[in-house]
Amino acid sequence: MTIQTVGVVGCGLMGSGIVETCARSGYRVVVREVNEEVLQRGLRRVEESMARAVERGKLAAADRDAAWTRIRGTVRMEDLRDCDLVIEAAVELMDVKKEIWRELDALCPPHTIFCSNTSSLSITEQASVTRRGDRFCGMHFFNPVPVMKLVELVRGYLTSEETLATCRAFAESLGKTVVVTKDHPGFVVNYLLVPFLLDAVRALEKGLATKEEIDTAVQLGLNHPMGPLTLLDFVGIDTTYYIAEAMYQELKDPRYAPPLLLKQMTLAGHHGRKTGKGFYDYGA
Ligand code: CAA
Ligand code: NAD
């Protein structure tokens, strides 16, 4: 099956990166947000990211302009009805995702493939509210999407081989390397990463060292590009809290139980870089 038009639901951190990557690879993209203000903020992120790629000589200005003409923003779910593939990148809450899929299942033709960019939530459970479990899978990108090379393709209980093959070809056409995983909370990467990030918060809570020292220790001692608390700010404190909570509820393994500090920061609106404050301050 040929993919020409891609729908993206959500133009936050991940949605904007997915929109940019698809448009730069030649796909037409329709992206839906909840309201005009959030949509414009997301599209500005796409614009700034492409401007940076042009400045660094990674993207020709003409290619940027062509990619930009392939992107269309909307607040109407109906505008996704002609997409061949829809990638959902809304908040990490099962009820929100199910509501999106119910609506899209009624709007889109049978051939449209549905993919969730979820970090932790069951693909099989999301697919259960649609009549297209065979054309449903997880397509898990990594942040920042234009830079990170991996896509985890998640095989739900009903996902067909044909859907997996189409999605693999699509992800590879974006320049990504694919790893196929089971539909298990956290798939491969977050199954390993989340306990590590939560342990960094617990280390801070216990006062093992300051936040800067914890980050420096991991950055220099393990050669990670970012320390874990900086990475938490980068991923989003709220998103990590939702991921941990979902994984803990499913696995009942205390390694995934979100530390109190993460919950309090989520409730306080200190969501990391995207809100200007998390473990660190990023100004306006
Ligand atoms: N959007 C687009 N491009 C970006 C970017 C962004 N937000 N941030 C950085 N880049 C690009 C830069 O343009 C630059 O590209 P070139 O080398 O082609 O010029 C490249 O990335 C390196 O950037 P910088 O030199 O500015 O900065 P850096 O060397 O510190 O790298 C980084 C930045 C790539 C983000 C690096 O710090 C890194 O790899 N951090 C860890 C990221 C990570 O672990 N991501 C996974 C998070 S977990 C996840 O995504 C799964 C989940 O479900 C939660
Ligand atoms: P974010 O908070 O930056 O963006 C989420 C966006 O979804 C918001 O702009 C919100 O307005 C929008 N949204 C909510 N309901 C919607 C709806 N019904 N229709 C359209 N838009 C809607 O979050 P994010 O970091 O982009 O995460 C999005 C998804 O990607 C989550 O499932 C998350 O687990 C996953 N993910 C995140 C990362 C990361 O590093 N942040 C990495 C991989 C996967």
Side-chain angles (χ1 to χ4, degrees):
M1 177 193 161
T2 325
I3 309 293
Q4 290 182 323
T5 306
V6 179
V8 178
V9 182
C11 200
L13 273 184
M14 294 302 289
S16 59
I18 294 168
V19 167
E20 174 185 343
T21 304
C22 293
R24 284 173 62 174
S25 301
Y27 296 98
R28 281 196 300 272
V29 186
V30 185
V31 56
R32 192 260 175 164
E33 255 298 350
V34 288
N35 64 48
E36 202 53 51
E37 189 192 336
V38 190
L39 174 66
Q40 291 312 324
R41 204 185 312 143
L43 290 174
R44 265 200 307 280
R45 202 177 295 117
V46 176
E47 209 176 355
E48 284 162 12
S49 179
M50 288 206 286
R52 178 155 114 177
V54 171
E55 260 169 43
R56 289 180 176 234
K58 300 282 167 187
L59 177 68
D63 292 341
R64 183 262 319 269
D65 296 344
W68 190 246
T69 63
R70 288 192 279 270
I71 299 171
R72 183 176 151 217
T74 182
V75 294
R76 291 158 32 99
M77 203 66 111
E78 299 88 294
D79 292 337
L80 300 187
R81 83 160 35 111
D82 295 325
C83 295
D84 304 305
L85 184 141
V86 176
I87 305 169
E88 170 279 321
V91 284
E92 189 72 345
L93 295 169
M94 183 57 92
D95 288 349
V96 173
K97 295 198 192 284
K98 280 185 174 170
E99 196 43 49
I100 289 167
W101 292 130
R102 273 194 203 97
E103 212 176 330
L104 283 172
D105 195 45
L107 286 169
C108 295
H111 80 269
T112 307
I113 292 176
F114 288 176
C115 297
S116 175
N117 181 51
T118 181
S119 303
S120 60
L121 299 170
S122 164
I123 296 305
T124 306
E125 186 174 345
Q126 292 184 57
S128 72
V129 301
T130 73
R131 291 158 299 173
R132 61 183 87 208
D134 57 330
R135 275 149 296 136
F136 200 119
C137 70
M139 189 179 284
H140 185 210
F141 291 86
F142 291 79
N143 184 18
V145 182
V147 177
M148 302 295 282
K149 292 285 174 224
L150 182 67
V151 164
E152 287 181 316
L153 269 191
V154 186
R155 192 197 295 268
Y157 194 84
L158 295 172
T159 307
S160 71
E161 288 307 318
E162 194 188 342
T163 298
L164 270 190
T166 304
C167 290
R168 175 189 283 277
F170 171 75
E172 287 175 351
S173 76
L174 304 178
K176 305 301 182 193
T177 298
V178 169
V179 168
V180 177
T181 83
K182 210 169 134 173
D183 187 14
H184 179 283
F187 319 122
V188 172
V189 173
N190 283 332
Y191 183 71
L192 300 173
L193 174 67
V194 171
F196 168 68
L197 293 180
L198 301 184
D199 273 346
V201 180
R202 290 189 261 265
L204 181 66
E205 283 177 330
K206 279 188 176 183
L208 296 194
T210 64
K211 59 188 179 206
E212 291 86 359
E213 285 167 328
I214 291 170
D215 275 347
T216 302
V218 171
Q219 226 184 334
L220 302 186
L222 297 173
N223 238 0
H224 286 200
M226 288 173 166
L229 301 171
T230 303
L231 184 56
L232 277 160
D233 276 356
F234 187 66
V235 164
I237 301 297
D238 54 337
T239 301
T240 311
Y241 172 68
Y242 296 139
I243 294 170
E245 188 60 30
M247 292 184 75
Y248 180 58
Q249 287 311 324
E250 199 70 42
L251 300 169
K252 299 291 185 296
D253 177 339
R255 290 183 304 156
Y256 296 90
L260 186 60
L261 178 58
L262 208 61
K263 180 176 183 178
Q264 288 175 334
M265 289 172 76
T266 301
L267 293 171
H270 289 187
H271 295 174
R273 253 194 222 195
K274 65 184 171 188
T275 57
K277 192 165 173 50
F279 288 104
Y280 298 95
D281 243 311
Y282 301 90

